């Protein structure tokens, strides 16, 4: 009888330990599933962020190209107006004397320098068009 009680006690202890192990396994499985779901959610968020970043990059490139086109158009208008202003100054220069003539020459030089910068920036010829060989 003592032997039977020992076996029964050992069996009860093993059963209790098995219950604890089973409960721990169940808890671990639940945490694993929760972690797996969290990982999938985070991967989805990361993919959405990557996609948004790529979209933002494309949009930034589009806006940059649009801005460059608009800047070129504004510079073309400025170039045309500088040429008109230079022609007016050159027409007035023969009648100017002294300080007025000096001021007109200085303004003419400044205008020509500004046109030179625009030509270099955009690859334009003297007329403000695309230079030969330029794309």
């Amino acid at each position: 009888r003592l032997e039977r009680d020992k076996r029964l006690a050992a069996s009860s202890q093993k059963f209790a330990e098995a219950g604890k192990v089973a409960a721990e396994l169940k808890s671990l499985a639940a945490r694993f599933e929760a972690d797996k779901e969290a990982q999938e959610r985070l991967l989805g968020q990361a993919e959405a962020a990557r996609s948004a970043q790529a979209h933002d990059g494309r949009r930034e490139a589009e806006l940059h190209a649009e801005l460059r086109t608009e800047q070129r158009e504004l510079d073309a208008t400025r170039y045309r107006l500088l040429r008109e202003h230079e022609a007016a100054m050159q027409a007035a220069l023969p009648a100017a004397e002294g300080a007025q003539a000096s001021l007109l020459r200085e303004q003419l030089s400044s205008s020509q320098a500004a046109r030179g910068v625009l030509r270099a920036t955009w690859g334009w010829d003297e007329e403000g068009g695309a230079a030969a060989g330029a794309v």
Side-chain angles (χ1 to χ4, degrees):
R1 176 171 160 110
L2 182 58
E3 242 353 90
R4 189 178 55 123
D5 286 348
K6 281 184 187 179
R7 282 193 308 257
L8 187 59
S11 176
S12 292
Q13 185 177 0
K14 287 180 183 178
F15 184 77
E17 286 178 19
K20 287 178 186 178
V21 168
E24 191 172 331
L25 282 174
K26 185 176 180 181
S27 171
L28 287 173
R31 280 198 323 212
F32 176 78
E33 286 302 316
D35 288 349
K36 186 176 172 184
E37 290 172 9
Q39 181 184 24
E40 289 172 2
R41 188 173 55 254
L42 289 173
L43 287 173
Q45 290 172 352
E47 183 57 37
R50 267 192 296 275
S51 176
Q53 186 177 23
H55 176 267
D56 290 349
R58 286 189 302 274
R59 182 65 181 137
E60 182 180 355
E62 290 169 4
L63 290 173
H64 182 70
E66 186 178 324
L67 179 62
R68 183 148 171 89
T69 298
E70 289 179 15
Q71 185 64 53
R72 185 180 180 106
E73 290 170 4
L74 289 171
D75 284 351
T77 300
R78 181 172 181 234
Y79 192 88
R80 183 181 50 80
L81 292 173
L82 285 169
R83 286 192 54 170
E84 290 174 10
H85 189 242
E86 287 173 28
M89 286 187 288
Q90 287 172 338
L93 195 54
E97 295 180 3
Q100 187 180 23
S102 179
L103 180 61
L104 281 173
R105 279 191 290 276
E106 188 177 314
Q107 288 180 341
L108 185 59
S109 176
S110 175
S111 180
Q112 290 168 339
R115 282 192 314 115
V117 168
L118 292 173
R119 275 196 314 273
T121 300
W122 299 109
W124 292 336
D125 61 15
E126 184 62 32
E127 302 299 313
V135 178

